[in-house]
Amino acid sequence: MPENEIINREKTFTIKGMDCADCALKIEKAVSKISGVRSAQLSFATEKLKIIFEPRIDEKQIIEIIKKLGYTVGAEDAYRTITLSVKEMDCADEQEIIFLILAETEP
C-alpha cells in the first residue's frame, strides 16, 4: 500500500425522527460537509446512514451534527441476536457441546 494512501472507515448509524425524504437529504448534506467524510448515504425508508470517512474523524462529531439538526442517532450494533432451533438432542451434554462450539466461533 502506498504511504500516502488513506484507509477509510465505514460506519452505519440509525437515524430517528425523519418525516420525509427531504429530512434525509438535509442530514446527508450536513454530514457530507464534514472535512474527511468521503461518502454519506441515508435511506429514509430504512433510517440507515452509511458513512465512509477518514480515521481522523471522531464519530462524536458526526453524531453532534445530526443531533443539532434535531434528529436522534444511534450506532448500529456490531452483533445481532440469532435464535437457533436445534431438534433431536438426546441429553444435556449435546447442548453443552453446541454452546462450546458457538463460543469459539468468530462473528
Side-chain angles (χ1 to χ4, degrees), residues 69-80:
L69 292 171
Y71 304 97
T72 305
V73 59
E76 284 292 290
D77 295 329
Y79 303 100
R80 305 236 184 251

Side-chain angles (χ1 to χ4, degrees), residues 9 11 13 15 27 30-37 49 51 53-69 71 73:
R9 295 176 55 205
K11 184 83 174 184
F13 295 94
I15 310 298
I27 295 168
V31 172
S32 294
K33 288 180 182 178
I34 300 171
S35 177
V37 170
L49 171 63
I51 305 172
F53 56 99
E54 293 176 8
R56 65 180 174 84
I57 303 297
D58 186 357
E59 291 177 24
K60 291 176 186 174
Q61 181 183 6
I62 296 168
I63 292 169
E64 278 303 308
I65 286 176
I66 297 168
K67 286 182 176 180
K68 283 182 182 178
L69 292 171
Y71 304 97
V73 59

Side-chain angles (χ1 to χ4, degrees), residues 79 101-107:
Y79 303 100
I101 290 170
L102 290 173
E104 294 173 0
T105 304
E106 295 275 333

Side-chain angles (χ1 to χ4, degrees), residues 41-55:
Q41 298 174 327
L42 177 54
S43 168
F44 171 68
T46 64
E47 300 181 324
K48 303 297 181 205
L49 171 63
K50 180 180 172 183
I51 305 172
I52 298 173
F53 56 99
E54 293 176 8

